[in-house]
Amino acid sequence: MRIGELAERAGTTPRTVRYYEEIGLLPGAADRSSGGHRSYGDADLERLRELLRLRDLLGLTLEELKAVVAAEDARAEIRREYRSTESPARRAELLQAALGHLDTQLGLVRHRMDELATLEAELRERQERVRARLAELGAPVG
Amino acid sequence: MRIGELAERAGTTPRTVRYYEEIGLLPGAADRSSGGHRSYGDADLERLRELLRLRDLLGLTLEELKAVVAAEDARAEIRREYRSTESPARRAELLQAALGHLDTQLGLVRHRMDELATLEAELRERQERVRARLAELGAPVG
DNA sequence: TTGCTCCTCACGTCACGTGAGGTGGC
DNA sequence: TTGCTCCTCACGTCACGTGAGGTGGC
């Protein structure tokens, strides 16, 4: 697919995709099919979606996202080395590193969920109070 | 308290507080005690904390936060009018508007929580896979 | 008097948005 | 041939960061 479709399906803009490529967060599109147009596959779409999700949900900066990409590339490297002659010790080391990154991300996710749960509770409390006042006025509760 | 303490207790910087004042998101500090230094109270701290929370957790822009502030000022206005001679119809109207704003915010909060829950599930799944591979290697599960 | 924090410009930065002017595929 | 999307500059914008140079309270 071309950059317009990629961006729309990922929920962003072509400009953002080009910017991410410019700063090295996304690799330059593999083939620039005739006319210099960037061309992308489904794997590119999935990776972009995940980056945007981490950006929006966890508030990671683009520098931090670069570190995430590096960690994921390392995981991909693990899979590639999996059947090679790499030593079990080295494999375990890489897997442990991957576990560390996942732990960090899970910690961030849970922290955010806690904060959101607190916010939700406060909003519901306010909502109840407003509803109670409306009831006092003899109005129907919306 | 002065701007440095306010900012630190709210988890931000003096520059951000001044910027929010500059664009009209925060009112200019009530008293500029001798020397032109801004002075703040606990209510200012609470309001700032809430704005930062909405910014960080829901990703609202500063323009959107202005609308939130306007809605909250309207709620404060309701309380002020509560014992005045305002008509019940007018009061109900203001309360309904407040309910609408709360509904909107609750919708955003729940949407974010859903997205975070999905992300958490995916991260846990990856974690399990990595752990399984580590177990295959005969290594202790971290 | 010495630090510490505060003040106001004002330029820099991050993460893009938005034309300007031009080329390429159905 | 006409739209549509793409391309590369390059300047603009939002939300601040970061000194520059100076004043004020324990």
Side-chain angles (χ1 to χ4, degrees):
Chain A
M1 75 195 89
R2 293 191 296 172
I3 197 170
E5 185 181 351
L6 174 78
E8 190 177 357
R9 290 175 69 182
T12 185
T13 69
R15 170 61 174 144
T16 294
V17 176
R18 291 195 198 100
Y19 180 64
Y20 286 5
E21 179 184 323
E22 183 185 333
I23 65 171
L25 180 53
L26 292 178
D31 35 312
R32 289 274 196 144
S33 58
S34 52
H37 291 195
R38 293 171 179 81
S39 182
Y40 301 93
D42 287 342
D44 297 313
L45 176 58
E46 285 315 306
R47 168 154 282 196
L48 178 55
R49 275 182 173 150
E50 182 170 1
L51 290 177
L52 295 174
R53 208 160 50 146
L54 294 175
R55 182 197 66 177
D56 292 338
L57 296 181
L58 301 186
L60 300 190
T61 67
L62 302 191
E63 279 309 307
E64 288 167 331
L65 287 180
K66 282 187 190 176
V68 170
V69 167
E72 285 181 354
D73 288 346
R75 290 202 313 132
E77 182 60 22
I78 293 171
R79 278 191 283 272
R80 240 172 284 133
E81 288 184 4
Y82 201 72
R83 286 177 195 147
S84 80
T85 54
E86 281 295 321
S87 73
R90 173 66 180 150
R91 283 190 215 161
E93 199 179 303
L94 294 174
L95 290 171
Q96 289 287 0
L99 265 188
H101 293 303
L102 288 171
D103 263 5
T104 300
Q105 282 188 46
L106 272 168
L108 285 174
V109 168
R110 284 165 185 160
H111 184 60
R112 286 255 154 172
M113 289 186 74
D114 282 351
E115 291 178 318
L116 279 168
T118 301
L119 179 54
E120 189 199 7
E122 288 180 22
L123 290 173
R124 292 189 70 154
E125 203 181 310
R126 286 192 204 168
Q127 196 180 46
E128 283 313 307
R129 283 189 201 155
V130 174
R131 282 191 176 139
R133 276 193 211 149
L134 263 176
E136 284 173 20
L137 283 177
V141 176
Chain B
M1 77 194 88
R2 293 192 294 173
I3 198 170
E5 185 181 350
L6 174 78
E8 191 177 356
R9 290 176 68 181
T12 186
T13 68
R15 169 62 175 145
T16 294
V17 176
R18 290 194 199 101
Y19 181 64
Y20 286 5
E21 178 183 324
E22 182 185 335
I23 65 171
L25 180 53
L26 292 179
D31 36 311
R32 290 274 194 144
S33 59
S34 54
H37 292 195
R38 293 170 179 81
S39 182
Y40 301 93
D42 287 342
D44 297 312
L45 176 59
E46 284 316 305
R47 168 154 284 194
L48 178 55
R49 276 182 173 151
E50 183 170 0
L51 290 177
L52 295 174
R53 207 160 49 147
L54 294 175
R55 183 197 65 177
D56 292 338
L57 296 181
L58 301 185
L60 300 189
T61 68
L62 302 192
E63 279 309 308
E64 290 167 329
L65 286 180
K66 282 186 189 176
V68 170
V69 166
E72 286 181 353
D73 287 346
R75 290 202 313 132
E77 182 59 23
I78 292 170
R79 277 192 285 271
R80 239 172 284 130
E81 288 183 4
Y82 201 70
R83 284 176 195 148
S84 80
T85 54
E86 281 293 324
S87 74
R90 174 64 180 151
R91 283 189 215 162
E93 200 178 303
L94 295 174
L95 289 172
Q96 288 286 2
L99 265 188
H101 293 303
L102 288 172
D103 263 6
T104 300
Q105 283 189 44
L106 271 167
L108 285 174
V109 168
R110 284 164 184 159
H111 185 59
R112 287 254 155 172
M113 288 186 75
D114 282 352
E115 291 178 316
L116 279 168
T118 300
L119 179 55
E120 189 199 7
E122 289 180 20
L123 290 173
R124 293 189 69 153
E125 202 181 310
R126 288 192 204 167
Q127 196 180 45
E128 283 313 307
R129 282 188 201 154
V130 175
R131 282 191 176 141
R133 277 194 210 148
L134 264 176
E136 284 172 21
L137 284 177
V141 175

XYZ file of all heavy atoms in Angstrom, chain B residues 15 18 22 32 38, chain C residues 7-11, chain D residues 17-21:
258
model
N 7.780 27.300 34.292
C 7.573 27.741 32.922
C 6.188 27.337 32.413
O 5.512 28.101 31.734
C 8.659 27.163 32.016
C 8.436 27.329 30.540
C 8.388 28.798 30.135
N 8.286 28.934 28.684
C 7.603 29.891 28.097
N 6.976 30.801 28.808
N 7.555 29.944 26.788
N 3.519 29.518 33.999
C 3.491 30.851 33.381
C 2.880 30.792 31.980
O 2.144 31.682 31.569
C 4.914 31.415 33.278
C 5.509 31.797 34.613
C 6.767 32.652 34.468
N 7.564 32.630 35.699
C 8.653 31.882 35.859
N 9.099 31.120 34.874
N 9.311 31.910 37.001
N -0.297 32.664 30.526
C -0.135 33.496 29.313
C -1.237 33.239 28.289
O -1.746 34.163 27.655
C 1.242 33.189 28.698
C 1.579 34.011 27.464
C 2.898 33.557 26.849
O 3.745 32.992 27.597
O 3.086 33.736 25.630
N 0.183 39.536 43.407
C 1.600 39.584 43.091
C 2.273 40.239 44.281
O 2.562 41.437 44.259
C 1.802 40.436 41.838
C 1.290 39.795 40.563
C 2.345 38.889 39.972
N 1.979 38.542 38.595
C 2.880 38.405 37.629
N 4.152 38.585 37.876
N 2.492 38.080 36.415
N 4.429 35.824 41.901
C 3.086 35.241 41.920
C 2.868 34.451 43.213
O 3.780 33.780 43.697
C 2.914 34.295 40.729
C 2.919 34.972 39.369
C 2.979 33.940 38.276
N 2.975 34.521 36.935
C 4.042 35.024 36.344
N 5.201 35.049 36.983
N 3.951 35.521 35.120
P 7.444 34.506 39.348
O 6.029 34.895 39.546
O 7.780 33.268 38.631
O 8.218 35.708 38.634
C 7.958 37.045 39.036
C 8.723 38.014 38.143
O 10.143 37.807 38.319
C 8.495 37.805 36.660
O 7.348 38.515 36.231
C 9.768 38.393 36.048
C 10.812 38.181 37.128
N 11.822 37.124 36.817
C 12.936 37.441 36.039
O 13.043 38.609 35.612
N 13.852 36.484 35.768
C 13.684 35.251 36.255
N 14.627 34.342 35.972
C 12.561 34.900 37.042
C 11.651 35.853 37.297
P 6.630 38.087 34.873
O 5.282 38.696 34.866
O 6.789 36.639 34.717
O 7.518 38.797 33.755
C 7.810 40.190 33.853
C 8.862 40.570 32.826
O 10.070 39.804 33.062
C 8.457 40.288 31.376
O 8.844 41.390 30.564
C 9.231 39.033 31.018
C 10.490 39.188 31.864
N 11.137 37.900 32.220
C 12.447 37.690 31.883
O 13.124 38.513 31.289
N 12.955 36.469 32.259
C 12.289 35.468 32.937
O 12.859 34.419 33.221
C 10.906 35.749 33.257
C 10.098 34.724 33.983
C 10.398 36.931 32.889
P 8.243 41.523 29.052
O 9.034 42.591 28.375
O 6.791 41.621 29.123
O 8.632 40.126 28.420
C 9.016 40.063 27.082
C 10.487 40.420 26.899
O 11.303 39.737 27.880
C 10.984 39.980 25.534
O 11.926 40.897 25.020
C 11.612 38.623 25.815
C 12.122 38.776 27.252
N 12.010 37.486 28.003
C 13.130 36.663 28.166
O 14.213 36.998 27.673
N 13.004 35.506 28.854
C 11.814 35.165 29.376
N 11.742 34.022 30.057
C 10.677 35.985 29.210
C 10.808 37.120 28.525
P 12.050 40.998 23.426
O 12.964 42.138 23.129
O 10.694 40.973 22.848
O 12.767 39.639 23.038
C 14.028 39.309 23.608
C 14.379 37.900 23.238
O 13.962 36.975 24.275
C 13.710 37.395 21.948
O 14.648 36.645 21.216
C 12.611 36.500 22.470
C 13.362 35.880 23.636
N 12.552 35.134 24.587
C 11.245 35.342 24.922
N 10.784 34.475 25.792
C 11.848 33.634 26.038
C 12.009 32.507 26.862
N 11.047 32.023 27.630
N 13.226 31.904 26.861
C 14.199 32.393 26.085
N 14.162 33.443 25.271
C 12.950 34.024 25.298
P 14.548 36.630 19.596
O 15.057 37.948 19.159
O 13.189 36.181 19.205
O 15.583 35.514 19.153
C 16.783 35.309 19.903
C 16.903 33.855 20.283
O 15.948 33.521 21.319
C 16.632 32.879 19.126
O 17.705 31.954 19.041
C 15.319 32.200 19.521
C 15.419 32.238 21.037
N 14.113 32.081 21.732
C 13.985 31.084 22.710
O 14.957 30.362 22.978
N 12.795 30.921 23.343
C 11.763 31.716 23.026
N 10.613 31.522 23.671
C 11.869 32.726 22.031
C 13.049 32.877 21.410
P 8.844 22.267 30.024
O 9.001 20.881 30.509
O 8.655 23.373 30.964
O 10.084 22.634 29.076
C 10.598 21.670 28.176
C 12.026 22.027 27.757
O 12.021 23.221 26.938
C 12.986 22.324 28.901
O 14.281 21.836 28.530
C 12.956 23.850 28.994
C 12.779 24.250 27.541
N 12.042 25.494 27.311
C 10.808 25.820 27.830
N 10.361 26.968 27.404
C 11.347 27.437 26.548
C 11.420 28.634 25.791
O 10.593 29.542 25.718
N 12.609 28.717 25.075
C 13.599 27.771 25.068
N 14.669 28.019 24.326
N 13.541 26.632 25.777
C 12.394 26.534 26.487
P 15.553 22.013 29.505
O 16.522 20.951 29.148
O 15.072 22.138 30.892
O 16.153 23.425 29.057
C 16.516 23.642 27.716
C 17.223 24.985 27.597
O 16.241 26.047 27.420
C 18.058 25.388 28.804
O 19.273 25.948 28.370
C 17.209 26.445 29.502
C 16.526 27.099 28.308
N 15.251 27.795 28.595
C 14.964 28.943 27.892
O 15.709 29.423 27.052
N 13.761 29.516 28.200
C 12.842 29.056 29.132
O 11.792 29.666 29.320
C 13.210 27.857 29.836
C 12.290 27.279 30.858
C 14.385 27.290 29.534
P 20.598 25.782 29.258
O 21.755 26.018 28.377
O 20.521 24.536 30.060
O 20.435 26.991 30.277
C 21.447 27.944 30.357
C 21.297 29.011 29.283
O 19.902 29.219 28.972
C 21.839 30.350 29.764
O 22.713 30.915 28.791
C 20.595 31.198 29.981
C 19.613 30.598 28.976
N 18.240 30.818 29.432
C 17.518 30.042 30.309
N 16.310 30.503 30.538
C 16.235 31.652 29.765
C 15.164 32.577 29.605
O 14.050 32.567 30.128
N 15.508 33.607 28.720
C 16.720 33.717 28.092
N 16.866 34.778 27.297
N 17.713 32.859 28.218
C 17.408 31.856 29.068
P 23.195 32.468 29.002
O 24.373 32.645 28.107
O 23.285 32.825 30.429
O 21.925 33.245 28.399
C 22.066 34.080 27.262
C 21.593 35.478 27.603
O 20.289 35.392 28.228
C 22.496 36.229 28.600
O 22.626 37.575 28.196
C 21.746 36.098 29.908
C 20.285 36.105 29.447
N 19.363 35.422 30.350
C 19.609 34.310 31.112
N 18.562 33.912 31.819
C 17.574 34.821 31.499
C 16.230 34.948 31.921
N 15.643 34.127 32.787
N 15.517 35.972 31.417
C 16.104 36.809 30.545
N 17.356 36.779 30.068
C 18.038 35.755 30.597
P 23.733 38.509 28.794
O 24.209 39.348 27.689
O 24.678 37.689 29.572
O 22.905 39.427 29.802
C 21.773 40.173 29.347
C 20.996 40.671 30.531
O 20.172 39.594 31.058
C 21.870 41.154 31.709
O 21.554 42.502 32.024
C 21.537 40.182 32.841
C 20.125 39.734 32.454
N 19.702 38.486 33.060
C 20.468 37.373 33.327
N 19.796 36.408 33.896
C 18.509 36.913 34.026
C 17.342 36.332 34.571
O 17.201 35.214 35.077
N 16.250 37.202 34.494
C 16.281 38.455 33.964
N 15.144 39.147 33.977
N 17.369 39.022 33.447
C 18.439 38.193 33.503
